[in-house]
Amino acid sequence: MYPHPLLSGRRGRDGFTLVELLTVIAIVAVLTSLLLPVATKAREGGKRANCVANMRQLSAAYLLMVGERNGELVQASGGGKTWYTEMESYVPLKTGNDFLRVSCPSALANLKSLGYQYTVTRPSYGLNAYIGPEGVTPRIANLIKPGATVLLGDSSIVGNKDGMNMGIAANGNNLITSYHRDKSAIAYFDGHTAHVDQAFVSLMKSTRNTEGSEGSIFWKGF
């Protein structure tokens, strides 16, 4: 029996030819190359949003604590206390999971890339270690421009045991660190947040304030 003439042309066409297969692979490769940067950017955007949310939560808790202490600023550390242990009544900061929950995802990824475990004992953010006039108990009333004075910032990595520095400063080892595509996340005393590059941080380090003393409004707040 002869095949139906309309079906005779489909013999041997049940699968892809080599050319068709290579064409499909090439198209998939092109689409992947186009979508991968978009996916990477979206993922980084999600980490930034998480980071900003964490900083706002910690900043709000810190400012609430300061308000209930008649405006007296809590230092990064001193006398066996740290700014985050003092905030335990305002936001849970006791267990490793507490610290991980309020830490920057990008900073934690950087910590992991160095081979450190996630046994961090503090958040990934550091408190401004220069705030307030020297020799005087700093108060929020001393701040001339709260919207230009840094409160918290992405902290540098200490090591496997502690994770991050508890403070940030213009000099030394506890510098503001870039975890967001060469930018660092910071929160100001008025509650707003920003991502700044190293050029900005360096400028704020070298700028003198109106009184002529070393440092700037960004660090000392007065």
Side-chain angles (χ1 to χ4, degrees), residues 1-14:
M1 178 180 292
Y2 294 101
H4 192 282
L6 294 180
L7 299 178
S8 59
R10 297 188 56 85
R11 284 180 174 269
R13 297 291 294 170
D14 294 330

Side-chain angles (χ1 to χ4, degrees), residues 133-154:
E134 295 181 7
V136 178
T137 299
R139 294 184 176 276
I140 198 165
N142 296 133
L143 305 183
I144 296 175
K145 295 181 179 179
T149 307
V150 62
L151 171 58
L152 296 173
D154 279 329

Side-chain angles (χ1 to χ4, degrees), residues 87-126:
M87 282 174 34
E88 288 179 354
S89 298
Y90 304 87
V91 58
L93 290 174
K94 294 182 179 181
T95 68
N97 286 334
D98 291 336
F99 294 124
L100 293 176
R101 180 178 54 81
V102 296
S103 290
C104 170
S106 297
L108 295 178
N110 193 272
L111 189 70
K112 185 177 181 180
S113 70
L114 296 176
Y116 297 140
Q117 298 176 3
Y118 278 14
T119 53
V120 293
T121 62
R122 57 192 63 150
S124 68
Y125 309 106

